[in-house]
PDB file of all heavy atoms in Angstrom:
ATOM      1  N   TRP A   1      68.806-206.107  81.253  1.00  0.00           N
ATOM      2  CA  TRP A   1      67.478-206.516  80.781  1.00  0.00           C
ATOM      3  C   TRP A   1      66.402-205.753  81.550  1.00  0.00           C
ATOM      4  O   TRP A   1      65.469-205.217  80.964  1.00  0.00           O
ATOM      5  CB  TRP A   1      67.297-208.025  80.976  1.00  0.00           C
ATOM      6  CG  TRP A   1      65.941-208.511  80.572  1.00  0.00           C
ATOM      7  CD1 TRP A   1      65.558-208.947  79.341  1.00  0.00           C
ATOM      8  CD2 TRP A   1      64.771-208.595  81.404  1.00  0.00           C
ATOM      9  NE1 TRP A   1      64.229-209.305  79.357  1.00  0.00           N
ATOM     10  CE2 TRP A   1      63.722-209.097  80.624  1.00  0.00           C
ATOM     11  CE3 TRP A   1      64.514-208.301  82.739  1.00  0.00           C
ATOM     12  CZ2 TRP A   1      62.443-209.310  81.114  1.00  0.00           C
ATOM     13  CZ3 TRP A   1      63.231-208.506  83.230  1.00  0.00           C
ATOM     14  CH2 TRP A   1      62.217-209.012  82.423  1.00  0.00           C
ATOM     15  N   TRP A   2      66.529-205.723  82.884  1.00  0.00           N
ATOM     16  CA  TRP A   2      65.553-205.022  83.713  1.00  0.00           C
ATOM     17  C   TRP A   2      65.491-203.540  83.353  1.00  0.00           C
ATOM     18  O   TRP A   2      64.412-202.972  83.236  1.00  0.00           O
ATOM     19  CB  TRP A   2      65.853-205.195  85.191  1.00  0.00           C
ATOM     20  CG  TRP A   2      65.159-204.170  86.036  1.00  0.00           C
ATOM     21  CD1 TRP A   2      65.744-203.175  86.755  1.00  0.00           C
ATOM     22  CD2 TRP A   2      63.751-204.004  86.210  1.00  0.00           C
ATOM     23  NE1 TRP A   2      64.781-202.410  87.365  1.00  0.00           N
ATOM     24  CE2 TRP A   2      63.545-202.898  87.045  1.00  0.00           C
ATOM     25  CE3 TRP A   2      62.639-204.684  85.726  1.00  0.00           C
ATOM     26  CZ2 TRP A   2      62.278-202.453  87.425  1.00  0.00           C
ATOM     27  CZ3 TRP A   2      61.362-204.239  86.111  1.00  0.00           C
ATOM     28  CH2 TRP A   2      61.196-203.145  86.947  1.00  0.00           C
ATOM     29  N   GLN A   3      66.628-202.903  83.170  1.00  0.00           N
ATOM     30  CA  GLN A   3      66.628-201.475  82.861  1.00  0.00           C
ATOM     31  C   GLN A   3      65.945-201.189  81.527  1.00  0.00           C
ATOM     32  O   GLN A   3      65.206-200.224  81.398  1.00  0.00           O
ATOM     33  CB  GLN A   3      68.054-200.931  82.898  1.00  0.00           C
ATOM     34  CG  GLN A   3      68.595-200.885  84.314  1.00  0.00           C
ATOM     35  CD  GLN A   3      70.056-200.496  84.403  1.00  0.00           C
ATOM     36  OE1 GLN A   3      70.834-200.750  83.494  1.00  0.00           O
ATOM     37  NE2 GLN A   3      70.437-199.896  85.523  1.00  0.00           N
ATOM     38  N   ARG A   4      66.170-202.050  80.524  1.00  0.00           N
ATOM     39  CA  ARG A   4      65.487-201.879  79.234  1.00  0.00           C
ATOM     40  C   ARG A   4      63.976-202.053  79.387  1.00  0.00           C
ATOM     41  O   ARG A   4      63.187-201.252  78.880  1.00  0.00           O
ATOM     42  CB  ARG A   4      66.013-202.881  78.202  1.00  0.00           C
ATOM     43  CG  ARG A   4      67.381-202.573  77.664  1.00  0.00           C
ATOM     44  CD  ARG A   4      67.729-203.445  76.455  1.00  0.00           C
ATOM     45  NE  ARG A   4      67.564-204.877  76.699  1.00  0.00           N
ATOM     46  CZ  ARG A   4      68.480-205.676  77.233  1.00  0.00           C
ATOM     47  NH1 ARG A   4      69.646-205.190  77.604  1.00  0.00           N
ATOM     48  NH2 ARG A   4      68.236-206.969  77.397  1.00  0.00           N
ATOM     49  N   ARG A   5      63.582-203.112  80.089  1.00  0.00           N
ATOM     50  CA  ARG A   5      62.156-203.385  80.264  1.00  0.00           C
ATOM     51  C   ARG A   5      61.471-202.317  81.128  1.00  0.00           C
ATOM     52  O   ARG A   5      60.341-201.924  80.854  1.00  0.00           O
ATOM     53  CB  ARG A   5      61.939-204.762  80.884  1.00  0.00           C
ATOM     54  CG  ARG A   5      62.333-205.905  79.981  1.00  0.00           C
ATOM     55  CD  ARG A   5      61.398-205.983  78.771  1.00  0.00           C
ATOM     56  NE  ARG A   5      61.815-206.994  77.849  1.00  0.00           N
ATOM     57  CZ  ARG A   5      61.104-208.071  77.541  1.00  0.00           C
ATOM     58  NH1 ARG A   5      59.929-208.257  78.078  1.00  0.00           N
ATOM     59  NH2 ARG A   5      61.580-208.943  76.684  1.00  0.00           N
ATOM     60  N   ALA A   6      62.148-201.879  82.171  1.00  0.00           N
ATOM     61  CA  ALA A   6      61.583-200.847  83.044  1.00  0.00           C
ATOM     62  C   ALA A   6      61.374-199.550  82.275  1.00  0.00           C
ATOM     63  O   ALA A   6      60.326-198.909  82.406  1.00  0.00           O
ATOM     64  CB  ALA A   6      62.488-200.618  84.252  1.00  0.00           C
ATOM     65  N   THR A   7      62.338-199.170  81.473  1.00  0.00           N
ATOM     66  CA  THR A   7      62.223-197.948  80.682  1.00  0.00           C
ATOM     67  C   THR A   7      61.048-198.045  79.712  1.00  0.00           C
ATOM     68  O   THR A   7      60.257-197.101  79.585  1.00  0.00           O
ATOM     69  CB  THR A   7      63.539-197.676  79.926  1.00  0.00           C
ATOM     70  OG1 THR A   7      64.590-197.541  80.890  1.00  0.00           O
ATOM     71  CG2 THR A   7      63.455-196.406  79.104  1.00  0.00           C
ATOM     72  N   ALA A   8      60.905-199.184  79.052  1.00  0.00           N
ATOM     73  CA  ALA A   8      59.787-199.386  78.129  1.00  0.00           C
ATOM     74  C   ALA A   8      58.450-199.411  78.866  1.00  0.00           C
ATOM     75  O   ALA A   8      57.406-199.118  78.270  1.00  0.00           O
ATOM     76  CB  ALA A   8      59.988-200.682  77.349  1.00  0.00           C
ATOM     77  N   ALA A   9      58.470-199.754  80.151  1.00  0.00           N
ATOM     78  CA  ALA A   9      57.256-199.829  80.956  1.00  0.00           C
ATOM     79  C   ALA A   9      56.926-198.502  81.631  1.00  0.00           C
ATOM     80  O   ALA A   9      56.045-198.449  82.493  1.00  0.00           O
ATOM     81  CB  ALA A   9      57.389-200.924  82.014  1.00  0.00           C
ATOM     82  N   GLY A  10      57.612-197.437  81.286  1.00  0.00           N
ATOM     83  CA  GLY A  10      57.310-196.129  81.847  1.00  0.00           C
ATOM     84  C   GLY A  10      57.975-195.843  83.174  1.00  0.00           C
ATOM     85  O   GLY A  10      57.492-195.019  83.943  1.00  0.00           O
ATOM     86  N   LEU A  11      59.085-196.511  83.438  1.00  0.00           N
ATOM     87  CA  LEU A  11      59.840-196.279  84.670  1.00  0.00           C
ATOM     88  C   LEU A  11      61.255-195.823  84.353  1.00  0.00           C
ATOM     89  O   LEU A  11      61.830-196.224  83.349  1.00  0.00           O
ATOM     90  CB  LEU A  11      59.931-197.566  85.498  1.00  0.00           C
ATOM     91  CG  LEU A  11      58.635-198.130  86.039  1.00  0.00           C
ATOM     92  CD1 LEU A  11      58.872-199.514  86.624  1.00  0.00           C
ATOM     93  CD2 LEU A  11      58.046-197.204  87.087  1.00  0.00           C
ATOM     94  N   GLN A  12      61.809-195.001  85.222  1.00  0.00           N
ATOM     95  CA  GLN A  12      63.212-194.618  85.144  1.00  0.00           C
ATOM     96  C   GLN A  12      63.895-195.198  86.376  1.00  0.00           C
ATOM     97  O   GLN A  12      63.723-194.697  87.491  1.00  0.00           O
ATOM     98  CB  GLN A  12      63.372-193.101  85.129  1.00  0.00           C
ATOM     99  CG  GLN A  12      64.811-192.656  85.103  1.00  0.00           C
ATOM    100  CD  GLN A  12      64.935-191.146  85.287  1.00  0.00           C
ATOM    101  OE1 GLN A  12      63.968-190.456  85.572  1.00  0.00           O
ATOM    102  NE2 GLN A  12      66.138-190.657  85.150  1.00  0.00           N
ATOM    103  N   PRO A  13      64.642-196.312  86.213  1.00  0.00           N
ATOM    104  CA  PRO A  13      65.293-196.928  87.368  1.00  0.00           C
ATOM    105  C   PRO A  13      66.283-195.971  88.043  1.00  0.00           C
ATOM    106  O   PRO A  13      67.048-195.290  87.372  1.00  0.00           O
ATOM    107  CB  PRO A  13      66.030-198.126  86.770  1.00  0.00           C
ATOM    108  CG  PRO A  13      65.331-198.402  85.480  1.00  0.00           C
ATOM    109  CD  PRO A  13      64.872-197.063  84.982  1.00  0.00           C
ATOM    110  N   VAL A  14      66.231-195.913  89.367  1.00  0.00           N
ATOM    111  CA  VAL A  14      67.154-195.102  90.155  1.00  0.00           C
ATOM    112  C   VAL A  14      68.161-196.016  90.845  1.00  0.00           C
ATOM    113  O   VAL A  14      69.358-195.798  90.777  1.00  0.00           O
ATOM    114  CB  VAL A  14      66.389-194.234  91.186  1.00  0.00           C
ATOM    115  CG1 VAL A  14      67.353-193.464  92.069  1.00  0.00           C
ATOM    116  CG2 VAL A  14      65.420-193.302  90.478  1.00  0.00           C
ATOM    117  N   THR A  15      67.650-197.044  91.524  1.00  0.00           N
ATOM    118  CA  THR A  15      68.511-198.063  92.126  1.00  0.00           C
ATOM    119  C   THR A  15      67.944-199.425  91.736  1.00  0.00           C
ATOM    120  O   THR A  15      66.746-199.556  91.475  1.00  0.00           O
ATOM    121  CB  THR A  15      68.555-197.974  93.662  1.00  0.00           C
ATOM    122  OG1 THR A  15      67.257-198.247  94.180  1.00  0.00           O
ATOM    123  CG2 THR A  15      69.033-196.611  94.128  1.00  0.00           C
ATOM    124  N   VAL A  16      68.801-200.430  91.693  1.00  0.00           N
ATOM    125  CA  VAL A  16      68.326-201.784  91.383  1.00  0.00           C
ATOM    126  C   VAL A  16      69.259-202.802  92.021  1.00  0.00           C
ATOM    127  O   VAL A  16      70.474-202.596  92.088  1.00  0.00           O
ATOM    128  CB  VAL A  16      68.211-202.022  89.861  1.00  0.00           C
ATOM    129  CG1 VAL A  16      69.551-201.956  89.177  1.00  0.00           C
ATOM    130  CG2 VAL A  16      67.530-203.348  89.568  1.00  0.00           C
ATOM    131  N   SER A  17      68.664-203.860  92.539  1.00  0.00           N
ATOM    132  CA  SER A  17      69.431-205.022  92.985  1.00  0.00           C
ATOM    133  C   SER A  17      68.746-206.251  92.400  1.00  0.00           C
ATOM    134  O   SER A  17      67.541-206.251  92.166  1.00  0.00           O
ATOM    135  CB  SER A  17      69.495-205.097  94.510  1.00  0.00           C
ATOM    136  OG  SER A  17      68.208-205.320  95.049  1.00  0.00           O
ATOM    137  N   ALA A  18      69.535-207.276  92.153  1.00  0.00           N
ATOM    138  CA  ALA A  18      69.016-208.499  91.550  1.00  0.00           C
ATOM    139  C   ALA A  18      69.365-209.683  92.435  1.00  0.00           C
ATOM    140  O   ALA A  18      70.490-209.796  92.914  1.00  0.00           O
ATOM    141  CB  ALA A  18      69.605-208.684  90.156  1.00  0.00           C
ATOM    142  N   LEU A  19      68.399-210.563  92.652  1.00  0.00           N
ATOM    143  CA  LEU A  19      68.591-211.741  93.478  1.00  0.00           C
ATOM    144  C   LEU A  19      68.076-212.950  92.714  1.00  0.00           C
ATOM    145  O   LEU A  19      66.894-213.006  92.346  1.00  0.00           O
ATOM    146  CB  LEU A  19      67.827-211.584  94.800  1.00  0.00           C
ATOM    147  CG  LEU A  19      67.860-212.758  95.764  1.00  0.00           C
ATOM    148  CD1 LEU A  19      69.291-213.031  96.235  1.00  0.00           C
ATOM    149  CD2 LEU A  19      66.954-212.483  96.937  1.00  0.00           C
ATOM    150  N   SER A  20      68.956-213.927  92.461  1.00  0.00           N
ATOM    151  CA  SER A  20      68.539-215.152  91.779  1.00  0.00           C
ATOM    152  C   SER A  20      67.751-216.024  92.744  1.00  0.00           C
ATOM    153  O   SER A  20      68.128-216.184  93.901  1.00  0.00           O
ATOM    154  CB  SER A  20      69.749-215.931  91.273  1.00  0.00           C
ATOM    155  OG  SER A  20      70.378-215.214  90.244  1.00  0.00           O
ATOM    156  N   ARG A  21      66.662-216.576  92.239  1.00  0.00           N
ATOM    157  CA  ARG A  21      65.816-217.448  93.049  1.00  0.00           C
ATOM    158  C   ARG A  21      65.500-218.701  92.241  1.00  0.00           C
ATOM    159  O   ARG A  21      64.952-218.599  91.150  1.00  0.00           O
ATOM    160  CB  ARG A  21      64.518-216.759  93.417  1.00  0.00           C
ATOM    161  CG  ARG A  21      64.720-215.555  94.307  1.00  0.00           C
ATOM    162  CD  ARG A  21      63.383-215.100  94.847  1.00  0.00           C
ATOM    163  NE  ARG A  21      63.533-214.059  95.805  1.00  0.00           N
ATOM    164  CZ  ARG A  21      63.663-214.256  97.109  1.00  0.00           C
ATOM    165  NH1 ARG A  21      63.680-215.459  97.593  1.00  0.00           N
ATOM    166  NH2 ARG A  21      63.774-213.241  97.931  1.00  0.00           N
ATOM    167  N   PRO A  22      65.812-219.873  92.773  1.00  0.00           N
ATOM    168  CA  PRO A  22      65.462-221.099  92.057  1.00  0.00           C
ATOM    169  C   PRO A  22      63.950-221.284  92.041  1.00  0.00           C
ATOM    170  O   PRO A  22      63.256-220.929  92.993  1.00  0.00           O
ATOM    171  CB  PRO A  22      66.147-222.202  92.855  1.00  0.00           C
ATOM    172  CG  PRO A  22      66.373-221.619  94.200  1.00  0.00           C
ATOM    173  CD  PRO A  22      66.503-220.137  94.023  1.00  0.00           C
ATOM    174  N   PHE A  23      63.457-221.776  90.953  1.00  0.00           N
ATOM    175  CA  PHE A  23      62.037-222.062  90.798  1.00  0.00           C
ATOM    176  C   PHE A  23      61.908-223.571  90.679  1.00  0.00           C
ATOM    177  O   PHE A  23      62.369-224.155  89.700  1.00  0.00           O
ATOM    178  CB  PHE A  23      61.497-221.360  89.546  1.00  0.00           C
ATOM    179  CG  PHE A  23      60.018-221.463  89.389  1.00  0.00           C
ATOM    180  CD1 PHE A  23      59.184-220.587  90.049  1.00  0.00           C
ATOM    181  CD2 PHE A  23      59.457-222.435  88.585  1.00  0.00           C
ATOM    182  CE1 PHE A  23      57.807-220.666  89.907  1.00  0.00           C
ATOM    183  CE2 PHE A  23      58.079-222.528  88.438  1.00  0.00           C
ATOM    184  CZ  PHE A  23      57.258-221.636  89.098  1.00  0.00           C
ATOM    185  N   PRO A  24      61.332-224.248  91.668  1.00  0.00           N
ATOM    186  CA  PRO A  24      61.340-225.719  91.670  1.00  0.00           C
ATOM    187  C   PRO A  24      60.463-226.314  90.577  1.00  0.00           C
ATOM    188  O   PRO A  24      59.539-225.682  90.082  1.00  0.00           O
ATOM    189  CB  PRO A  24      60.785-226.062  93.049  1.00  0.00           C
ATOM    190  CG  PRO A  24      59.989-224.873  93.448  1.00  0.00           C
ATOM    191  CD  PRO A  24      60.645-223.683  92.808  1.00  0.00           C
ATOM    192  N   ARG A  25      60.796-227.534  90.240  1.00  0.00           N
ATOM    193  CA  ARG A  25      59.988-228.282  89.273  1.00  0.00           C
ATOM    194  C   ARG A  25      58.609-228.536  89.879  1.00  0.00           C
ATOM    195  O   ARG A  25      58.481-228.825  91.063  1.00  0.00           O
ATOM    196  CB  ARG A  25      60.659-229.604  88.943  1.00  0.00           C
ATOM    197  CG  ARG A  25      61.905-229.426  88.149  1.00  0.00           C
ATOM    198  CD  ARG A  25      62.488-230.797  87.814  1.00  0.00           C
ATOM    199  NE  ARG A  25      63.501-230.650  86.791  1.00  0.00           N
ATOM    200  CZ  ARG A  25      64.782-230.809  86.998  1.00  0.00           C
ATOM    201  NH1 ARG A  25      65.234-231.137  88.186  1.00  0.00           N
ATOM    202  NH2 ARG A  25      65.640-230.650  86.018  1.00  0.00           N
ATOM    203  N   THR A  26      57.596-228.461  89.046  1.00  0.00           N
ATOM    204  CA  THR A  26      56.242-228.740  89.515  1.00  0.00           C
ATOM    205  C   THR A  26      55.869-230.192  89.290  1.00  0.00           C
ATOM    206  O   THR A  26      54.905-230.679  89.849  1.00  0.00           O
ATOM    207  CB  THR A  26      55.228-227.833  88.805  1.00  0.00           C
ATOM    208  OG1 THR A  26      55.370-227.993  87.391  1.00  0.00           O
ATOM    209  CG2 THR A  26      55.453-226.379  89.171  1.00  0.00           C
ATOM    210  N   ARG A  27      56.654-230.880  88.448  1.00  0.00           N
ATOM    211  CA  ARG A  27      56.446-232.314  88.201  1.00  0.00           C
ATOM    212  C   ARG A  27      57.751-233.031  88.502  1.00  0.00           C
ATOM    213  O   ARG A  27      58.823-232.466  88.356  1.00  0.00           O
ATOM    214  CB  ARG A  27      56.098-232.567  86.731  1.00  0.00           C
ATOM    215  CG  ARG A  27      54.797-231.931  86.286  1.00  0.00           C
ATOM    216  CD  ARG A  27      54.594-232.168  84.811  1.00  0.00           C
ATOM    217  NE  ARG A  27      55.624-231.426  84.081  1.00  0.00           N
ATOM    218  CZ  ARG A  27      55.998-231.663  82.836  1.00  0.00           C
ATOM    219  NH1 ARG A  27      55.463-232.640  82.177  1.00  0.00           N
ATOM    220  NH2 ARG A  27      56.919-230.943  82.254  1.00  0.00           N
ATOM    221  N   LEU A  28      57.636-234.273  88.872  1.00  0.00           N
ATOM    222  CA  LEU A  28      58.836-235.061  89.112  1.00  0.00           C
ATOM    223  C   LEU A  28      59.340-235.620  87.785  1.00  0.00           C
ATOM    224  O   LEU A  28      58.576-235.874  86.875  1.00  0.00           O
ATOM    225  CB  LEU A  28      58.542-236.203  90.088  1.00  0.00           C
ATOM    226  CG  LEU A  28      58.097-235.753  91.484  1.00  0.00           C
ATOM    227  CD1 LEU A  28      57.755-236.975  92.334  1.00  0.00           C
ATOM    228  CD2 LEU A  28      59.178-234.937  92.149  1.00  0.00           C
ATOM    229  N   GLY A  29      60.622-235.811  87.694  1.00  0.00           N
ATOM    230  CA  GLY A  29      61.200-236.378  86.481  1.00  0.00           C
ATOM    231  C   GLY A  29      62.203-235.439  85.857  1.00  0.00           C
ATOM    232  O   GLY A  29      62.165-234.230  86.064  1.00  0.00           O
ATOM    233  N   ARG A  30      63.095-235.999  85.094  1.00  0.00           N
ATOM    234  CA  ARG A  30      64.161-235.196  84.480  1.00  0.00           C
ATOM    235  C   ARG A  30      63.643-234.241  83.423  1.00  0.00           C
ATOM    236  O   ARG A  30      64.252-233.218  83.157  1.00  0.00           O
ATOM    237  CB  ARG A  30      65.198-236.120  83.848  1.00  0.00           C
ATOM    238  CG  ARG A  30      66.020-236.877  84.854  1.00  0.00           C
ATOM    239  CD  ARG A  30      67.089-237.596  84.117  1.00  0.00           C
ATOM    240  NE  ARG A  30      68.216-236.708  83.964  1.00  0.00           N
ATOM    241  CZ  ARG A  30      69.437-236.973  84.333  1.00  0.00           C
ATOM    242  NH1 ARG A  30      69.701-238.125  84.882  1.00  0.00           N
ATOM    243  NH2 ARG A  30      70.405-236.120  84.148  1.00  0.00           N
ATOM    244  N   SER A  31      62.546-234.580  82.767  1.00  0.00           N
ATOM    245  CA  SER A  31      62.070-233.728  81.673  1.00  0.00           C
ATOM    246  C   SER A  31      61.294-232.514  82.161  1.00  0.00           C
ATOM    247  O   SER A  31      60.976-231.637  81.378  1.00  0.00           O
ATOM    248  CB  SER A  31      61.204-234.543  80.712  1.00  0.00           C
ATOM    249  OG  SER A  31      60.039-234.984  81.391  1.00  0.00           O
ATOM    250  N   ALA A  32      60.972-232.465  83.443  1.00  0.00           N
ATOM    251  CA  ALA A  32      60.246-231.316  83.971  1.00  0.00           C
ATOM    252  C   ALA A  32      61.132-230.078  83.921  1.00  0.00           C
ATOM    253  O   ALA A  32      62.325-230.147  84.192  1.00  0.00           O
ATOM    254  CB  ALA A  32      59.799-231.590  85.409  1.00  0.00           C
ATOM    255  N   PRO A  33      60.567-228.928  83.566  1.00  0.00           N
ATOM    256  CA  PRO A  33      61.392-227.712  83.467  1.00  0.00           C
ATOM    257  C   PRO A  33      61.901-227.248  84.826  1.00  0.00           C
ATOM    258  O   PRO A  33      61.232-227.429  85.842  1.00  0.00           O
ATOM    259  CB  PRO A  33      60.446-226.684  82.864  1.00  0.00           C
ATOM    260  CG  PRO A  33      59.087-227.174  83.194  1.00  0.00           C
ATOM    261  CD  PRO A  33      59.172-228.668  83.257  1.00  0.00           C
ATOM    262  N   TYR A  34      63.083-226.682  84.837  1.00  0.00           N
ATOM    263  CA  TYR A  34      63.665-226.089  86.039  1.00  0.00           C
ATOM    264  C   TYR A  34      64.149-224.704  85.650  1.00  0.00           C
ATOM    265  O   TYR A  34      64.824-224.539  84.637  1.00  0.00           O
ATOM    266  CB  TYR A  34      64.832-226.917  86.560  1.00  0.00           C
ATOM    267  CG  TYR A  34      65.454-226.321  87.798  1.00  0.00           C
ATOM    268  CD1 TYR A  34      64.900-226.555  89.040  1.00  0.00           C
ATOM    269  CD2 TYR A  34      66.569-225.495  87.713  1.00  0.00           C
ATOM    270  CE1 TYR A  34      65.439-226.005  90.177  1.00  0.00           C
ATOM    271  CE2 TYR A  34      67.119-224.930  88.855  1.00  0.00           C
ATOM    272  CZ  TYR A  34      66.550-225.193  90.084  1.00  0.00           C
ATOM    273  OH  TYR A  34      67.086-224.627  91.203  1.00  0.00           O
ATOM    274  N   PHE A  35      63.784-223.716  86.426  1.00  0.00           N
ATOM    275  CA  PHE A  35      64.125-222.341  86.095  1.00  0.00           C
ATOM    276  C   PHE A  35      64.886-221.692  87.241  1.00  0.00           C
ATOM    277  O   PHE A  35      64.721-222.070  88.397  1.00  0.00           O
ATOM    278  CB  PHE A  35      62.859-221.508  85.856  1.00  0.00           C
ATOM    279  CG  PHE A  35      61.969-222.050  84.796  1.00  0.00           C
ATOM    280  CD1 PHE A  35      60.851-222.789  85.125  1.00  0.00           C
ATOM    281  CD2 PHE A  35      62.246-221.823  83.463  1.00  0.00           C
ATOM    282  CE1 PHE A  35      60.020-223.294  84.146  1.00  0.00           C
ATOM    283  CE2 PHE A  35      61.428-222.322  82.473  1.00  0.00           C
ATOM    284  CZ  PHE A  35      60.313-223.068  82.823  1.00  0.00           C
ATOM    285  N   THR A  36      65.675-220.720  86.922  1.00  0.00           N
ATOM    286  CA  THR A  36      66.204-219.801  87.910  1.00  0.00           C
ATOM    287  C   THR A  36      65.647-218.438  87.550  1.00  0.00           C
ATOM    288  O   THR A  36      65.875-217.932  86.449  1.00  0.00           O
ATOM    289  CB  THR A  36      67.743-219.762  87.899  1.00  0.00           C
ATOM    290  OG1 THR A  36      68.231-221.065  88.206  1.00  0.00           O
ATOM    291  CG2 THR A  36      68.264-218.779  88.924  1.00  0.00           C
ATOM    292  N   LEU A  37      64.868-217.874  88.439  1.00  0.00           N
ATOM    293  CA  LEU A  37      64.259-216.575  88.214  1.00  0.00           C
ATOM    294  C   LEU A  37      65.076-215.510  88.933  1.00  0.00           C
ATOM    295  O   LEU A  37      65.769-215.807  89.895  1.00  0.00           O
ATOM    296  CB  LEU A  37      62.825-216.562  88.733  1.00  0.00           C
ATOM    297  CG  LEU A  37      61.892-217.606  88.139  1.00  0.00           C
ATOM    298  CD1 LEU A  37      60.527-217.525  88.800  1.00  0.00           C
ATOM    299  CD2 LEU A  37      61.772-217.434  86.646  1.00  0.00           C
ATOM    300  N   THR A  38      64.994-214.294  88.468  1.00  0.00           N
ATOM    301  CA  THR A  38      65.692-213.180  89.102  1.00  0.00           C
ATOM    302  C   THR A  38      64.659-212.200  89.631  1.00  0.00           C
ATOM    303  O   THR A  38      63.762-211.776  88.897  1.00  0.00           O
ATOM    304  CB  THR A  38      66.627-212.468  88.107  1.00  0.00           C
ATOM    305  OG1 THR A  38      67.558-213.417  87.598  1.00  0.00           O
ATOM    306  CG2 THR A  38      67.379-211.334  88.784  1.00  0.00           C
ATOM    307  N   GLN A  39      64.778-211.872  90.892  1.00  0.00           N
ATOM    308  CA  GLN A  39      63.909-210.867  91.515  1.00  0.00           C
ATOM    309  C   GLN A  39      64.659-209.552  91.538  1.00  0.00           C
ATOM    310  O   GLN A  39      65.789-209.481  92.022  1.00  0.00           O
ATOM    311  CB  GLN A  39      63.546-211.282  92.933  1.00  0.00           C
ATOM    312  CG  GLN A  39      62.723-210.236  93.661  1.00  0.00           C
ATOM    313  CD  GLN A  39      62.392-210.666  95.070  1.00  0.00           C
ATOM    314  OE1 GLN A  39      62.163-211.842  95.342  1.00  0.00           O
ATOM    315  NE2 GLN A  39      62.374-209.710  95.979  1.00  0.00           N
ATOM    316  N   PHE A  40      64.023-208.508  91.007  1.00  0.00           N
ATOM    317  CA  PHE A  40      64.615-207.179  90.993  1.00  0.00           C
ATOM    318  C   PHE A  40      63.922-206.318  92.032  1.00  0.00           C
ATOM    319  O   PHE A  40      62.701-206.281  92.105  1.00  0.00           O
ATOM    320  CB  PHE A  40      64.461-206.525  89.614  1.00  0.00           C
ATOM    321  CG  PHE A  40      65.154-207.280  88.523  1.00  0.00           C
ATOM    322  CD1 PHE A  40      64.454-208.155  87.708  1.00  0.00           C
ATOM    323  CD2 PHE A  40      66.510-207.119  88.312  1.00  0.00           C
ATOM    324  CE1 PHE A  40      65.089-208.860  86.712  1.00  0.00           C
ATOM    325  CE2 PHE A  40      67.160-207.825  87.319  1.00  0.00           C
ATOM    326  CZ  PHE A  40      66.445-208.697  86.516  1.00  0.00           C
ATOM    327  N   ASP A  41      64.711-205.624  92.840  1.00  0.00           N
ATOM    328  CA  ASP A  41      64.197-204.681  93.825  1.00  0.00           C
ATOM    329  C   ASP A  41      64.918-203.361  93.621  1.00  0.00           C
ATOM    330  O   ASP A  41      66.082-203.340  93.219  1.00  0.00           O
ATOM    331  CB  ASP A  41      64.460-205.183  95.252  1.00  0.00           C
ATOM    332  CG  ASP A  41      63.681-206.429  95.579  1.00  0.00           C
ATOM    333  OD1 ASP A  41      62.457-206.422  95.381  1.00  0.00           O
ATOM    334  OD2 ASP A  41      64.301-207.406  96.033  1.00  0.00           O
TER     335      ASP A  41
END
């Protein structure tokens, strides 16, 4: 996904690493969204 998006954004990826990062709920309760984001370096 990153390589496709980077190419469309005018970049040619040379090296890439991906790190999953949890994104905490901003509201309490089961219905609040919970995400896992990926940081690319």
